Amino acid sequence: MRSASLLLCAAMLAFGACARANAATPAADAAATPAACRLHAGEKVVLFSAGGDPAVFVWDSPVRLRDYNAASYDEAQAMAVRATLVAPGTRALVASCRHNYVQSPYSEQPDDAVGITIITGPQRGHDYWVLGSDVRRVSHVAVPAP
Amino acid sequence: MKLSAPLARVTGTLLLTAFLLVALAVAVQGAFQTRASIADTFARQASIEQAQIALEELLRLQIYEESLLRGYSLTHDTFYVDQYQEAVADFDAKVAAIRTTLAAQRLDSVRLMLEQYVGLQARWRSTIAAPMLSHPDRQLLEMDKRNKFLSDYETKIVEAIRNALANTNAELARTTQTELDRSSYARTFWLLVFGLLAILFNGFRSRLYQELEEEKNTTEILQRAFRSESVPLPNCRIGSAYLSAGSHLAVGGDVFDVYRLSNSLALLLIADVSGKGVDAAVLTAFIKFTIRGIALRRRDPGAILGEFNTAFAQTVENPYLFVSMFVGVLDTDSLLLTYASAGHDSAFMRRSSGVQQLAVTGPVLGVMEEPFGTKSVIMEDGDILVLATDGLTEARKRTGEQLRETGAIDLIAAASDDPQLLADELVAQVRALGGNHPRDDLAILAIRADPPKAAPHA
């Protein structure tokens, strides 16, 4: 079922429709941030992956983030091209959060999808979605002047 | 064949003992089985914990490989290449160790995940590491996304393996707990069974001893009722004694009787019934009064025994009961003793010349239809006829050796001249031999020829 959805999505990608359909800006989603989320809108964070590679994949929609993490190896490999890789240590502001939105078949616990606005690095000023486990809360992150 | 009450009681005791032994065996076997099962579970847990440690080491080596590759990319120092090769070798060795453990523990699903992980790492080496090692000038950034994808995927699989091993270990811990709980419940159960059986056993034994004691008392009352008192006979003095076996045994069927058939004839009887208890005691009454009845009509002891043997065979249906018996008819005027002995060899005549054993004249009663011979002997003044049951000749010394006829003869020869004293002394000797716990009942009947002495002429 999920494969069919992804295939359909891949076909729609050719027309740029899928991206629009899945598009949900973190800012627009801010009002929906549930209290159960570990992070809250406005918090300063640093991106850092606890896996083998500390760089972080960020996504332009929460649905794509969820589908990538739920996909099989081949599906995920195909979808990875749509992700943006940001360097570890990139700073961001939390815009919104979806509690337990991402469920990986390899993990027993679901993860949050966190909407962020990147404030450092080449992707500065862009909105993305990232896994909750790839986000570190820091209080001393200074927001650079625009 | 219907079981007799004592036999049923003994069977019940044996069954109860057998139940106790079976319960004990089951409890012991269960304890050993539980121990083996728990030991096996602990061994499996230890093995899986080893695999868990090896898996973490594997993940560390994977990250180490990537770090070394990055180091080489940045510095082009071959030191990183050497270290990288060592890390690869270590990684492969760890994989082999985990494979062995998972195969031994039959964790096939985890093995599949491990193979997937190993495949990904091989793909990472071929698509990321090998090109980088061949062209260190190549920009790592070009492959960063692919590196990230593979690395993340490997991390996910490792987490899944980690979870699976942890779950297996938790399941084994639960199994151990269950096994321990089950073992505790089983032990409690068997403890209760033991306790109940022990209580039952104790109660059963107490009741058994109580019944045996009551039966013994009844038997002794019967025997006292059936035993003759000393009947005075002309020209004779009579002594008698009776020794009952120890309290832990049922009373036997010994009987003796002195009965006056006429003014000058007396019936002398001693018999020993095989078996013990009320049946034997009642049989002594049957013997005593039947012999008296026959002796009133017949005066020949052999004929008396023959007729009794027929009556015995027709009356007593128990094939395991038989009787040894000595019957004498004593003419108190002439002191002529005619006698017949049905397998009863404990009959002695003590004379001034010594003690003689009176001959057996036929088989024990209740075995076969055989004629019984009659013998006679004149008793002289001072002669003592000593009739005893087999409690005398079969009395055991402390060494375990039986007294036998020769020992009995020695005791009789050494005993007092007075028949009552003689009987008492024999009983005392047997009691002393058996340490006050004789194995069998003992009846003694002693008749001394004691005609009045003619007054000496002036």
Side-chain angles (χ1 to χ4, degrees):
Chain A
M1 192 69 186
R2 184 171 289 146
S3 304
S5 162
L6 285 169
L7 283 174
L8 181 62
C9 190
M12 290 171 75
L13 272 174
F15 304 98
C18 190
R20 283 193 297 276
N22 286 330
T25 62
D29 212 50
T33 303
C37 263
R38 187 171 56 86
L39 296 164
H40 303 287
E43 281 194 89
K44 301 161 189 174
V45 293
V46 169
L47 305 186
F48 184 87
S49 175
D53 188 342
V56 176
F57 271 147
V58 294
W59 301 83
D60 56 1
S61 86
V63 175
R64 197 164 278 147
L65 168 66
R66 184 186 61 188
D67 289 348
Y68 170 75
N69 281 283
S72 66
Y73 176 81
D74 291 334
E75 291 167 347
Q77 194 175 22
M79 293 175 73
V81 296
R82 304 293 307 174
T84 302
L85 189 65
V86 298
T90 300
R91 300 170 198 170
L93 281 175
V94 174
S96 64
C97 181
R98 293 187 182 182
H99 182 55
N100 287 348
Y101 186 70
V102 181
Q103 176 66 66
S104 166
Y106 297 100
S107 176
E108 290 176 347
Q109 296 297 323
D111 202 350
D112 296 342
V114 181
I116 55 167
T117 302
I118 291 180
I119 55 176
T120 62
Q123 305 298 328
R124 179 179 175 185
H126 288 83
D127 294 335
Y128 290 105
W129 287 87
V130 66
L131 273 179
S133 56
D134 285 347
V135 177
R136 305 282 181 276
R137 182 193 284 125
V138 283
S139 56
H140 63 278
V141 175
V143 181
Chain B
M1 184 178 169
K2 191 179 173 182
L3 290 175
S4 64
L7 187 58
R9 285 195 296 262
V10 170
T11 309
T13 309
L14 288 174
L15 273 177
L16 211 48
T17 309
F19 273 132
L20 264 173
L21 289 174
V22 168
L24 186 66
V26 168
V28 169
Q29 192 264 348
F32 276 106
Q33 198 173 11
T34 303
R35 187 197 167 281
S37 172
I38 289 174
D40 180 56
T41 309
F42 279 154
R44 289 196 67 191
Q45 276 185 299
S47 180
I48 287 170
E49 279 165 10
Q50 288 292 327
Q52 284 176 311
I53 293 168
L55 184 70
E56 297 306 322
E57 184 69 9
L58 205 58
L59 189 59
R60 190 191 66 76
L61 286 168
Q62 177 210 322
I63 294 170
Y64 190 45
E65 275 186 52
E66 291 178 19
S67 302
L68 291 167
L69 196 64
R70 285 177 192 280
Y72 181 61
S73 171
L74 290 171
T75 65
H76 295 180
D77 188 343
T78 54
F79 164 79
Y80 290 104
V81 178
D82 296 339
Q83 292 292 305
Y84 172 81
Q85 299 297 350
E86 282 183 23
V88 168
D90 287 350
F91 183 95
D92 293 344
K94 284 283 174 215
V95 167
I98 298 175
R99 269 197 195 113
T100 307
T101 302
L102 296 180
Q105 300 303 326
R106 297 182 297 281
L107 296 172
D108 295 333
S109 60
V110 183
R111 266 175 71 193
L112 283 178
M113 285 193 279
L114 179 72
E115 295 311 324
Q116 200 177 354
Y117 174 59
V118 172
L120 281 174
Q121 184 65 7
R123 196 171 298 182
W124 178 85
R125 284 175 189 161
S126 62
T127 59
I128 305 290
M132 188 60 60
L133 291 169
S134 305
H135 306 287
D137 291 330
R138 194 172 173 180
Q139 287 295 310
L140 187 63
L141 285 173
E142 294 172 18
M143 291 180 285
D144 265 356
K145 196 181 266 186
R146 181 160 179 75
N147 180 60
K148 168 67 178 169
F149 168 73
L150 288 170
S151 178
D152 277 3
Y153 217 83
E154 284 179 321
T155 305
K156 286 177 184 177
I157 292 175
V158 167
E159 188 179 348
I161 294 174
R162 193 185 285 143
N163 288 336
L165 289 176
N167 288 340
T168 306
N169 233 355
E171 182 61 34
L172 285 173
R174 273 196 295 277
T175 306
T176 306
Q177 187 60 48
T178 307
E179 193 71 31
L180 284 170
D181 289 346
R182 200 172 61 85
S183 171
S184 301
Y185 296 145
R187 282 208 188 99
T188 307
F189 172 76
W190 284 113
L191 197 66
L192 285 173
V193 169
F194 279 148
L196 285 174
L197 282 176
I199 290 167
L200 276 174
F201 188 80
N202 203 31
F204 200 79
R205 201 184 61 157
S206 299
R207 205 181 65 182
L208 182 66
Y209 271 92
Q210 190 181 352
E211 285 178 6
L212 281 174
E213 196 61 32
E214 284 172 1
E215 186 176 311
K216 179 173 177 288
N217 290 338
T218 306
T219 308
E220 283 180 340
I221 289 167
L222 285 172
Q223 281 185 329
R224 277 199 298 275
F226 298 148
R227 208 177 295 148
S228 289
E229 295 177 4
S230 292
V231 179
L233 295 179
N235 302 324
C236 295
R237 278 193 291 154
I238 301 173
S240 66
Y242 193 90
L243 173 65
S244 184
S247 61
H248 61 290
L249 289 173
V251 185
D254 292 2
V255 62
F256 62 85
D257 191 24
V258 178
Y259 180 65
R260 290 192 70 167
L261 298 171
S262 65
N263 285 339
S264 59
L265 289 178
L267 172 70
L268 308 176
L269 164 73
I270 192 159
D272 190 352
V273 180
S274 66
K276 295 176 184 303
V278 175
D279 290 348
V282 170
L283 190 58
T284 61
F286 169 75
I287 290 168
K288 181 173 161 181
F289 294 110
T290 306
I291 291 289
R292 279 187 185 184
I294 297 171
L296 285 171
R297 291 184 284 105
R298 293 172 173 266
R299 299 296 160 84
D300 177 49
I304 293 170
L305 284 180
E307 192 170 330
F308 177 83
N309 194 30
T310 305
F312 184 83
Q314 290 172 351
T315 310
V316 179
E317 293 177 350
N318 188 340
Y320 301 103
L321 273 181
F322 53 87
V323 182
S324 71
M325 188 187 297
F326 178 96
V327 171
V329 175
L330 178 64
D331 186 328
T332 52
D333 290 340
S334 63
L335 293 177
L336 172 66
L337 172 69
T338 54
Y339 69 91
S341 172
H344 197 94
D345 50 9
S346 296
F348 306 92
M349 184 65 77
R350 190 176 104 168
R351 297 176 182 276
S352 56
S353 57
V355 180
Q356 296 170 353
Q357 185 178 14
L358 298 183
V360 170
T361 61
V364 291
L365 302 163
V367 176
M368 60 183 78
E369 289 283 344
E370 283 285 328
F372 295 88
T374 300
K375 288 184 175 286
S376 60
V377 59
I378 294 284
M379 293 181 71
E380 301 292 339
D381 183 11
D383 287 355
I384 303 176
L385 173 66
V386 180
L387 303 176
T389 53
D390 58 7
L392 177 64
T393 53
E394 293 179 5
R396 288 183 185 275
K397 302 173 188 174
R398 289 183 194 280
T399 56
E401 188 187 352
Q402 283 190 346
L403 198 59
R404 298 189 177 280
E405 285 75 15
T406 52
I409 287 170
D410 291 342
L411 288 182
I412 292 167
S416 172
D417 289 339
D418 180 79
Q420 186 55 54
L421 288 177
L422 182 145
D424 291 340
E425 284 171 14
L426 289 180
V427 165
Q429 292 282 356
V430 169
R431 192 194 292 274
L433 282 173
N436 285 330
H437 294 292
R439 291 165 183 267
D440 200 359
D441 290 359
L442 170 63
I444 304 283
L445 179 61
I447 298 105
R448 178 188 164 101
D450 197 19
K453 308 291 183 292
H457 293 284

